[in-house]
Amino acid sequence: TKFPFYWGEMRDAAYFQKNLYSKIFTPKVRNCLARGKGAYARNPQGEADYTLFCGEALFLFTRTTDGFRFIEEGVND
């Protein structure tokens, strides 16, 4: 995950691991992400993004210097 992470307000790694990880990445979601096909694109800033859809949720990852990092969960519209 890319930190700080926004969840109602900015959160750090410790808060994310203790309070958010298990809510966001349920076993069903982790399985979906491991097996799913994503869409690669460039965002308006020219950065590489990777989006995976799991049911009604989308998971957005962006390229950083050390690989792709999770940055957002949203609604699959």
Side-chain angles (χ1 to χ4, degrees):
T1 302
K2 186 175 177 184
F3 295 104
F5 183 78
Y6 185 79
W7 189 273
E9 62 185 73
M10 298 310 272
R11 305 297 183 165
D12 63 8
Y15 184 90
F16 181 86
Q17 290 172 338
K18 182 178 180 185
N19 300 294
L20 300 178
Y21 180 84
S22 63
K23 290 179 184 176
I24 296 171
F25 296 107
T26 64
K28 184 177 179 178
V29 167
R30 290 193 311 266
N31 187 41
C32 175
L33 293 175
R35 290 183 167 79
K37 283 190 172 185
Y40 178 84
R42 293 226 175 249
N43 66 27
Q45 294 78 29
E47 301 164 328
D49 283 343
Y50 191 67
T51 305
L52 282 147
F53 296 94
C54 293
E56 295 300 317
L58 69 85
F59 295 84
L60 181 62
F61 299 81
T62 194
R63 185 183 300 276
T64 65
T65 56
D66 58 345
F68 279 92
R69 297 289 181 155
F70 171 64
I71 59 167
E72 185 177 341
E73 176 199 20
V75 176
N76 180 359
D77 57 1

